[in-house]
Amino acid sequence: MRQQIVEAREKAAKDGIRVQRARTPAPDVAAPVGEVTEATEPFQDNGTLRTISARYDLTGQRELLWIANEGKKVGDARCTQKFQFSNNTTPRERPTMLLCWRTSQDKSVMVLAVTPEGRPDARDAVAKLDTRWRAMG
């Protein structure tokens, strides 16, 4: 497996693609311990919607690290299409991706919607988020 990784990186370098490290939590953000639930389902226009939830605050963790702005308020959640996947890259808008989230000290729910074309609908994504939020009590 290690050899395959090395070969893939060498090929990427020859093709002019630089390997970049993913964003990581800040040193002062303690990684909570507990179960994280994930579910993936079809979403509009042949897209997918991944719902991620936990019974603790996921702020600064996982996909919430990708957020490159404060997002826009949609109901009780926030949504963004501006992402930064590596510390060494410039944040940019991804028109076919949408991340919506709602967090509290006791629970977190985020939904990541991706469509092959067009913009994912924030209201539909937040409706799925709200359903999971209510189900968690």
Side-chain angles (χ1 to χ4, degrees):
M1 179 62 114
R2 179 78 180 140
Q3 182 60 32
Q4 290 172 320
I5 293 169
V6 169
E7 289 171 5
R9 287 182 178 169
E10 287 173 356
K11 181 175 181 341
K14 285 179 187 173
D15 292 340
I17 300 169
R18 198 177 80 214
V19 174
Q20 299 188 18
R21 304 284 178 227
R23 294 185 81 180
T24 55
D28 61 334
V29 175
V33 177
E35 183 179 352
V36 174
T37 302
E38 295 187 45
T40 303
E41 62 185 279
F43 195 61
Q44 68 190 53
D45 301 326
N46 295 316
T48 59
L49 181 88
R50 185 166 45 147
T51 303
I52 302 159
S53 59
R55 293 199 175 277
Y56 52 88
D57 188 356
L58 285 171
T59 300
Q61 302 288 324
R62 300 181 51 100
E63 287 83 348
L64 293 181
L65 283 168
W66 300 346
I67 297 167
N69 61 16
E70 75 268 359
K72 294 179 182 173
K73 191 131 174 82
V74 180
D76 291 326
R78 300 200 74 78
C79 298
T80 191
Q81 289 187 290
K82 192 167 190 176
F83 298 93
Q84 183 178 11
F85 299 110
S86 171
N87 289 331
N88 301 325
T89 59
T90 301
R92 66 178 236 209
E93 185 171 320
R94 305 282 177 154
T96 60
M97 278 180 75
L98 175 73
L99 181 63
C100 299
W101 68 96
R102 183 174 174 190
T103 61
S104 73
Q105 187 175 353
D106 300 320
K107 62 183 172 179
S108 298
V109 179
M110 67 182 104
V111 292
L112 179 63
V114 180
T115 57
E117 296 179 7
R119 291 186 179 272
D121 187 283
R123 290 173 309 214
D124 290 346
V126 170
K128 296 287 189 178
L129 183 153
D130 288 343
T131 298
R132 179 64 185 140
W133 186 271
R134 285 189 304 274
M136 292 175 72

